[in-house]
Amino acid sequence: MPPHSPRLATTELDRTSHPSSKSKTSSLASQTLLSEDSSVSILARSHPMSQSPRKLRSQYPRESAENHVEYILVASFDIDRGPVMEHQFPVAITGDEHMLAELMLPDQAHARNQDWTIFFLHKDSNQEDEEQEQKRKEARRRRRRRRDREARIAGEGGSATDGGNDSHGDDGNKDDEDDEDWDDNDSTDSEPEGGEGPPLIYVLNLVYTKHDKSVKRGAVVKAMAICTRHPFLHIYKPLLLLALEEYFKSPVPETLSMLYDAVNEMDLSLMPKLSLLEKYLLQSSDNKDLFVEKFERMVQKRISDDGAIHVGEPFDASKSPPKPQGISRAGTKAYLEGQTAYSVPRDTHEFESKVMYKGIPIPVKIPTATMPETVGDFSLVKLIQNFSEPHAKSMQPFALHPHLTTNGPGTHPIMVLANALLTQKRIIFLGHNMPSGEVAEAVLAACALASGGLLRGFTRFAFPYTDLTKIDDLLKVPGFIAGVTNPTFELHPEWWDLLCDLPSGRMKISSKIEQAPVTEGLVYFQQQNPSFANQLGGSSHTATDLTGDVVFMNDILKSIAARHGERVIRAKWRDWVVRFTRIAAAFEEGVYGASALYVGGETHEQITGGHGFVWADDNARQKELAGKRHGCHALLPTYRLHSQLTLV
C-alpha cells in the first residue's frame, strides 16, 4: 500500500490541533457523560452531530483467528553450558535457540533479583507454520463455542461481562455480514513497519534470580518471555511475574500452556477501532469521555447480539425470563455490585479487560489509541530530562557535523538525537550497570520521538536490547538504534555514529563518523541562496537559530517544568515531525522540482495557487530551508532509494 501524502495528512492534523476544534470535540464528548449509579442512557443518539458516517468496527473482533500471544519461551543459565533454552511453546519460534537464550539472559542478570528485557524478532512464517497455527486457532474456536452452548443450556443465557469470552457459536461469523455498524477502513495498524515484510514480533522478557546455596554459584537464573505482534506488550508484566513464579515450582510445558491459553482468551472485542486522526485527537486530549459514544455503540451491538440468541428457543416455564442487560461505567457502584452486564471504560484512553489465570482475574488496561512506532510503555519526558539536565548545567560542545549539529556545537542533545534518527545514523544507547529494561525503554522512546506517529521504519531497525556477541550482525544493519549495557561499545567509535550514555546523560558524536557528502542538490541550493550558503547547517559557530529548534526545545522544557504531562510532550513532538516532513518536501521540490514524499503528483496538477508548507515571506522560507537543508537532504535520498522510512 503506497504511503499517504504528508501534505494531506498534516493539513488534517493542523485542523484537529486547532484550539477551536478541540473545544468543539470536547463539548460533544461532554454530552455523553455516563450515569454513576444506573445503566447508561445513550445520550449520544440524541445529538445530531454524534452520528458518525463512518461505520464502527472492533480492533480485535472475537471471531478473529489472530492470537494475542504467539509464543512463550523459557531460558535458564547453566553453569557449564551458559544460556540454555528450556522450552518454546507451542512450537519453536526459531531454530537458533542459543541466540534467543542469550537475548533472554542479559549481561549481569544474576546481579539483580529481577530484570525486564525487550527485543524484536523478524519472523517470516512458512506454510507449515501457518497450517499448524490455523489448526490451533480453529481448535480454540471450537472450545469457545462448545462452552458457550453449554452455558446457554445451563440457563446462563450466553451473557458475559466485560473481559469475558462470549462467542456465539456458528452465528458469530454473521456479525460482519448483517451489521451496518461495522466496516474495515481507515486503518494502518495491520500494515508492517517500513511498508515491507511481515509485522515484527515484540518480545517481553522477565529474568528472575532465586538465591539457593545448594546450587553452583548460589543462585538459579531463569527467564520467561511472551512473544506478540501487538505493541502493548507491557500489559503482560503482571502475568509474567505470576507465571515465572509458577514455573519455578513446576517447570513443565503444562505451566506454559496454562499461561498461553489464559492470555489468548482475553476479550478485546468491545474496543472500537479508531481512525488515525481520531487516535491523534485522543492521545492529545485529557478528556476521559472523548469518543465514549463509540464504546457505547459497541456494547449496544453486543446486547443486541445476546438478545438474538434467545430468538426461536422453546419456552421453558421453569426458567425465569432473562433480565434486561444494562450498561454502567467501569468502577461505579452499579458495576461493582454486578447490577449491569456490560460497562464502558471510566477513561476512554484505556480499555479495561481481564485475564483469567489459575481462576484469578488479572485486570489489564490496553491503550485505545496506539500510534505507529509506539511499542511498550515508555516516557518521552524521562528521555528528554535525562539528556537535558546535564546539558543545562554544563554544556559540552559537540564535534560539528552538518547532519547532526544543526544549531552549531551547542545544539541541544535531544535535537542531535532527532537529527541522527531522521538521517538514519547508527545510534547506541549505553546503560552500564543499569537494568536492561531501562535501556530498552530509551530505545523505544527514541523510535517514537522521531516517528511522531507519521514516519515509519524506525522499529524495524531497532534493537531495544542486544549484547556484544551480536555485534557482527548489528553492523550489517544500516541506521540501527540499539540498547546495550556493555561498556566495551564506547571504546569502539567505528561501531556507531552517536553514543547516548544514559547514566551520565551525555551524547557523543563518533570521531569515525562519515562526513556529509556535498551533493548536486546542496550545491544548487547554495547557488540559488548565496546569502545563506555559509550559515548554520552544522558548519558554523553562529548562534543564529534559523531552524527554530532552539525556540522549540525551550518550549518543550518549559512544558516539562510546568508538568504538562506525557500527552502534551508527545503532541508537541508530533507537530515538530510533521513540520520537518513538510519542510523537507518543500526543500526537495525547490531543488528537484518534485518531492518523493508526495505521492500522486496528478493531484497537485489540479491545485492552482500553490500548495504545501507556507511561510510568511520568501525571506523566512529561505532562512528555514537553509537551516534544515542538510537534515532534509540527508533524509530524502535515503527515503527515496532505500524505502526504510515510509509515511503513515
Side-chain angles (χ1 to χ4, degrees):
M1 179 177 179
H4 300 287
S5 166
R7 182 182 63 82
L8 298 177
T10 52
T11 301
E12 294 177 342
L13 278 175
D14 291 343
R15 195 179 301 136
T16 58
S17 62
H18 195 278
S20 62
S21 299
K22 287 188 177 181
S23 61
K24 291 177 182 178
T25 308
S26 299
S27 64
L28 279 178
S30 65
Q31 297 183 53
T32 60
L33 290 174
L34 309 180
S35 170
E36 285 293 316
D37 298 312
S38 61
S39 61
V40 173
S41 173
I42 310 299
L43 299 180
R45 289 194 170 187
S46 63
H47 197 288
M49 293 184 66
S50 66
Q51 293 297 321
S52 172
R54 193 173 67 86
K55 297 176 183 178
L56 195 61
R57 180 173 182 256
S58 170
Q59 288 196 38
Y60 302 97
R62 54 187 172 177
E63 68 274 9
S64 172
E66 181 183 6
N67 282 336
H68 297 307
V69 171
E70 298 193 8
Y71 305 92
I72 297 178
L73 313 175
V74 176
S76 62
F77 185 82
D78 185 273
I79 190 64
D80 299 317
R81 296 183 294 167
V84 176
M85 182 65 68
E86 291 189 4
H87 294 291
Q88 299 185 62
F89 186 88
V91 293
I93 187 174
T94 177
D96 194 350
E97 294 187 347
H98 185 69
M99 178 273 293
L100 275 180
E102 286 181 335
L103 286 173
M104 292 174 65
L105 296 165
D107 295 336
Q108 301 298 312
H110 62 277
R112 292 178 287 273
N113 291 333
Q114 177 182 304
D115 197 3
W116 295 93
T117 308
I118 295 174
F119 54 92
F120 302 158
L121 297 175
H122 299 250
K123 177 76 165 63
D124 297 333
S125 58
N126 54 39
Q127 185 175 357
E128 183 179 353
D129 291 339
E130 291 177 353
E131 290 176 355
Q132 292 180 354
E133 186 64 22
Q134 192 62 34
K135 289 179 181 178
R136 288 193 297 271
K137 291 175 180 178
E138 186 60 34
R140 188 177 301 108
R141 273 198 294 266
R142 286 195 297 268
R143 289 199 301 269
R144 289 176 180 172
R145 292 171 182 173
R146 184 170 60 252
R147 281 199 304 268
D148 290 332
R149 284 196 295 269
E150 292 173 352
R152 290 197 296 273
I153 292 172
E156 296 180 7
S159 63
T161 57
D162 181 25
N165 298 284
D166 50 353
S167 299
H168 301 282
D170 296 331
D171 294 335
N173 294 327
K174 298 181 180 179
D175 289 353
D176 287 340
E177 299 175 7
D178 302 330
D179 182 22
E180 290 297 325
D181 290 334
W182 293 66
D183 190 18
D184 183 12
N185 61 355
D186 288 331
S187 172
T188 58
D189 291 347
S190 59
E191 296 179 15
E193 298 83 345
E196 296 181 357
L200 296 175
I201 292 182
Y202 308 114
V203 184
L204 176 67
N205 178 63
L206 170 63
V207 188
Y208 200 70
T209 302
K210 279 203 169 185
H211 297 280
D212 186 350
K213 295 181 179 179
S214 64
V215 300
K216 293 181 179 180
R217 287 197 175 184
V220 177
V221 182
K222 291 185 182 294
M224 181 179 289
I226 276 181
C227 308
T228 176
R229 295 190 192 271
H230 299 163
F232 44 81
L233 69 171
H234 58 281
I235 69 168
Y236 298 114
K237 283 188 175 183
L239 288 154
L240 272 179
L241 287 168
L242 294 173
L244 187 52
E245 187 68 32
E246 182 68 21
Y247 185 82
F248 269 98
K249 301 174 184 176
S250 181
V252 292
E254 288 73 19
T255 302
L256 307 185
S257 176
M258 181 169 54
L259 174 63
Y260 182 82
D261 290 338
V263 292
N264 284 315
E265 294 291 335
M266 177 175 59
D267 182 23
L268 305 181
S269 61
L270 293 179
M271 182 163 62
K273 196 165 203 171
L274 304 179
S275 69
L276 189 64
L277 295 181
E278 286 172 340
K279 291 180 180 181
Y280 283 161
L281 188 58
L282 183 60
Q283 284 202 336
S284 303
S285 172
D286 288 326
N287 187 347
K288 295 183 179 182
D289 298 309
L290 194 58
F291 301 127
V292 71
E293 69 278 2
K294 294 181 180 291
F295 290 89
E296 295 174 2
R297 288 169 58 195
M298 296 292 294
V299 175
Q300 286 280 315
K301 170 67 171 59
R302 178 63 54 81
I303 293 176
S304 175
D305 289 346
D306 289 348
I309 294 176
H310 302 283
V311 176
E313 289 185 357
F315 177 73
D316 189 349
S318 63
K319 294 183 180 179
S320 301
K323 295 181 180 180
Q325 301 185 62
I327 312 173
S328 65
R329 193 64 175 262
T332 62
K333 181 180 179 181
Y335 174 75
L336 295 176
E337 292 180 353
Q339 298 177 12
T340 56
Y342 293 98
S343 69
V344 295
R346 69 191 84 184
D347 184 352
T348 54
H349 294 84
E350 296 177 321
F351 180 81
E352 300 180 29
S353 186
K354 60 186 176 184
V355 176
M356 295 298 296
Y357 181 71
K358 296 183 64 178
I360 303 173
I362 309 298
V364 292
K365 292 183 178 180
I366 296 90
T368 306
T370 303
M371 301 306 300
E373 307 293 298
T374 302
V375 181
D377 189 23
F378 58 83
S379 171
L380 285 189
V381 172
K382 181 179 178 181
L383 177 71
I384 294 170
Q385 286 180 321
N386 190 77
F387 293 101
S388 296
E389 292 175 0
H391 179 76
K393 292 178 181 178
S394 176
M395 192 274 287
Q396 294 182 359
F398 285 101
L400 291 173
H401 190 280
H403 292 173
L404 305 182
T405 54
T406 48
N407 287 99
T411 303
H412 194 282
I414 294 298
M415 293 310 307
V416 172
L417 174 62
N419 291 331
L421 289 160
L422 290 170
T423 56
Q424 297 180 42
K425 299 295 186 288
R426 300 172 301 170
I427 302 171
I428 290 287
F429 281 89
L430 174 61
H432 183 46
N433 289 330
M434 290 179 62
S436 57
E438 293 186 20
V439 180
E441 287 179 8
V443 174
L444 299 178
C447 292
L449 180 83
S451 168
L454 180 73
L455 294 173
R456 302 184 86 165
F458 296 101
T459 52
R460 188 158 288 276
F461 297 90
F463 302 82
Y465 173 77
T466 190
D467 56 36
L468 201 57
T469 63
K470 314 295 186 303
I471 185 60
D472 291 336
D473 293 329
L474 183 66
L475 294 179
K476 296 176 183 177
V477 179
F480 62 76
I481 313 149
V484 301
T485 57
N486 194 318
T488 304
F489 282 87
E490 187 175 6
L491 306 177
H492 292 273
E494 69 277 9
W495 292 351
W496 43 269
D497 298 319
L498 180 67
L499 180 76
C500 307
D501 186 66
L502 291 170
S504 66
R506 297 289 185 180
M507 294 186 189
K508 183 189 301 183
I509 297 176
S510 172
S511 58
K512 306 289 185 179
I513 189 173
E514 292 185 8
Q515 293 303 308
V518 179
T519 63
E520 294 181 1
L522 284 176
V523 172
Y524 175 80
F525 181 83
Q526 292 174 355
Q527 290 174 348
Q528 298 299 312
N529 302 274
S531 60
F532 300 103
N534 298 318
Q535 293 191 34
L536 222 54
S539 60
S540 172
H541 289 259
T542 179
T544 306
D545 182 25
L546 296 185
T547 64
D549 292 342
V550 173
V551 174
F552 170 73
M553 279 308 306
N554 289 337
D555 179 58
I556 287 286
L557 296 175
K558 287 179 181 177
S559 294
I560 293 176
R563 301 183 182 276
H564 287 171
E566 182 75 11
R567 290 196 186 104
V568 172
I569 301 304
R570 293 193 187 191
K572 286 178 180 290
W573 269 105
R574 181 164 57 247
D575 290 344
W576 185 89
V577 173
V578 168
R579 181 182 177 87
F580 174 86
T581 306
R582 296 173 72 184
I583 292 174
F587 174 86
E588 192 172 39
E589 281 194 326
V591 173
Y592 299 106
S595 172
L597 292 175
Y598 287 115
V599 179
E602 67 278 0
T603 304
H604 302 147
E605 295 176 1
Q606 303 172 6
I607 300 176
T608 58
H611 67 278
F613 200 81
V614 179
W615 283 268
D617 52 56
D618 191 60
N619 187 56
R621 174 181 178 275
Q622 291 178 352
K623 281 184 178 181
E624 189 148 26
L625 290 180
K628 293 183 180 291
R629 68 184 186 273
H630 286 284
C632 295
H633 202 269
L635 167 68
L636 294 169
T638 305
Y639 168 83
R640 194 165 53 246
L641 299 178
H642 302 295
S643 298
Q644 292 180 8
L645 296 179
T646 59
L647 292 167
V648 172

